[in-house]
Structures are given as C-alpha cells and as structure tokens.
C-alpha cells in the first residue's frame, strides 16, 4: 500500500507539473485572482474526471489509445499557442483565448489529456481509483495555481510581450508532446 501511495504521488506530481508548465504561459495573460481560482479548480476537476474515464476505458481498450490522447493534447496546445500569439498582435482588449467560458474548458481539457492516458494504463493495472484521482486532482490544482500566479508576476515585467511569450511556451510544450525525442 505504501509503495502504491508513493507511486501515485510521483505520478500526480508529474501530471501536475505538466499543468504547471502550461499554466506559466497562460498566467502571462492579464488574469484576475478570481479567474486564476476558477482555472485551478477547473483543471483540478478535469484531472479527476479524465483519469476516471481513462481507468474505466483502460480495462476495455489497448494502450494504443493513450498515445493518441497525447497527440490530441499536443494538437490542442498547439492551436491554443498559435491563437495566443496571433491575439497578441491584435490591438483588441478581449481575446478569444481568455480562460473563461469555452476557452477555460478547452484549456483544462488540453492539459488533462495526459491524465486520461495515465488513467488508461492505471485501469489496466487495477490501482485504487479514489486515491489516484484525488491525488491527481489536488496536485494539479495546486500546481496550476502556482504556475498561473508565477506567470502573472512575470507578466508585469514583460508587459506587451508577455502574451507572445505565453503562446511560445504553449507551442514549445505542444511540440514536445507531438514530437517526443
């Protein structure tokens, strides 16, 4: 049991760091603290729902779908990064890529697809579902908040270039998912 808890904690941290790194880029947008709270909660919820779905399907499907989920997540992050860079060159106040409404769900879904992949493999091995999803959800929520808050702080230093940098971070992370070494 202790070995399983340690393993799940390490997996939760790895999945949370995934959300953290992407949240650094998203945090470069001018987000209010209330928005940051919603984004973290939503990402945490998606990191509970997605592995649950993955664990359920993992008992039925092969591991090949896990690789497809990684590519879908990379494609979504690539799209978000491109949209963020394009929006930075427009002189509009409101951008489509704000993490509110549908944009929030697209963002949370894209950063939680890797937890779906992990859920697939955990479902095959039959781990304790409740322990896994609670660890994944809480860790990713906390690390998302940390990433958004750090990104928000850097945004003040970078000014108008922060959105381009945020988009570039999302693009680099998408390339990492789409073209693993």
């Amino acid at each position: 049991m202790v070995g399983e808890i340690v393993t799940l904690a390490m997996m939760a941290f790895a999945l949370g760091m995934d959300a953290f790194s992407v949240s650094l880029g998203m945090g470069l947008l001018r987000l209010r603290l209330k928005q940051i709270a919603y984004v973290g909660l939503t990402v945490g919820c998606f990191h509970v729902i997605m592995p649950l779905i993955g664990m359920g399907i993992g008992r039925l499907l092969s591991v090949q779908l896990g690789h497809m989920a990684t590519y879908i997540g990379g494609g979504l992050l690539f799209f978000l990064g491109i949209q963020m860079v394009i929006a930075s060159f427009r002189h509009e106040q409101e951008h489509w890529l704000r993490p509110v409404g549908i944009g929030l769900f697209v963002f949370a879904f894209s950063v939680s697809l890797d937890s779906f992949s992990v859920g697939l493999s955990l479902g095959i091995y039959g781990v304790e579902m409740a322990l896994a999803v609670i660890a994944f959800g809480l860790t990713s929520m906390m690390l998302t908040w940390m990433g958004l808050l750090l990104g928000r702080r850097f945004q003040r230093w970078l000014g108008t270039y922060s959105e381009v940098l945020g988009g570039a971070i999302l693009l680099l992370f998408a390339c990492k998912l789409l073209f693993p070494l």
Side-chain angles (χ1 to χ4, degrees), residues 97-181:
L97 185 57
R98 290 274 176 222
V100 294
I102 192 71
L104 173 59
F105 289 106
V106 169
F107 175 69
F109 179 75
S110 68
V111 298
S112 66
L113 269 176
D114 57 347
S115 65
F116 172 76
S117 302
V118 170
L120 281 173
S121 56
L122 291 178
I124 292 169
Y125 294 115
V127 299
E128 178 61 40
M129 279 190 191
L131 181 63
V133 297
I134 289 170
F136 293 170
L138 288 176
T139 304
S140 65
M141 179 178 63
M142 298 301 288
L143 289 172
T144 298
W145 283 336
M146 288 173 54
L148 289 168
L149 291 171
L150 280 174
R152 183 175 188 235
R153 178 167 286 241
F154 287 128
Q155 189 277 332
R156 291 181 188 148
W157 295 333
L158 296 171
T160 59
Y161 299 106
S162 64
E163 205 164 347
V164 173
L165 180 61
I169 289 171
L170 292 179
L171 286 171
L172 287 172
F173 194 72
C175 288
K176 179 182 175 267
L177 288 175
L178 293 171
F179 310 109
L181 296 176

Side-chain angles (χ1 to χ4, degrees), residues 17-164:
M17 285 305 291
D18 202 15
F20 171 81
S21 62
V22 176
S23 294
L24 276 174
M26 187 63 72
L28 292 172
L29 294 171
R30 292 185 180 110
L31 300 176
R32 294 184 311 255
L33 291 176
K34 185 177 181 180
Q35 288 174 305
I36 289 172
Y38 285 140
V39 171
L41 286 170
T42 305
V43 168
C45 287
F46 269 78
H47 271 83
V48 168
I49 295 167
M50 294 300 284
L52 273 176
I53 294 170
M55 285 178 198
I57 294 173
R59 294 191 173 115
L60 304 173
L61 300 177
S62 71
V63 179
Q64 293 295 8
L65 186 59
H67 297 296
M68 190 185 329
T70 300
Y71 292 123
I72 292 169
L76 284 171
L77 288 177
F78 187 81
F79 174 73
L80 290 172
I82 291 290
Q83 183 65 30
M84 197 173 192
V85 170
I86 290 170
S88 70
F89 290 110
R90 294 184 184 151
H91 297 291
E92 303 168 359
Q93 289 292 46
E94 284 298 315
H95 299 296
W96 176 84
L97 185 57
R98 290 274 176 222
V100 294
I102 192 71
L104 173 59
F105 289 106
V106 169
F107 175 69
F109 179 75
S110 68
V111 298
S112 66
L113 269 176
D114 57 347
S115 65
F116 172 76
S117 302
V118 170
L120 281 173
S121 56
L122 291 178
I124 292 169
Y125 294 115
V127 299
E128 178 61 40
M129 279 190 191
L131 181 63
V133 297
I134 289 170
F136 293 170
L138 288 176
T139 304
S140 65
M141 179 178 63
M142 298 301 288
L143 289 172
T144 298
W145 283 336
M146 288 173 54
L148 289 168
L149 291 171
L150 280 174
R152 183 175 188 235
R153 178 167 286 241
F154 287 128
Q155 189 277 332
R156 291 181 188 148
W157 295 333
L158 296 171
T160 59
Y161 299 106
S162 64
E163 205 164 347
V164 173

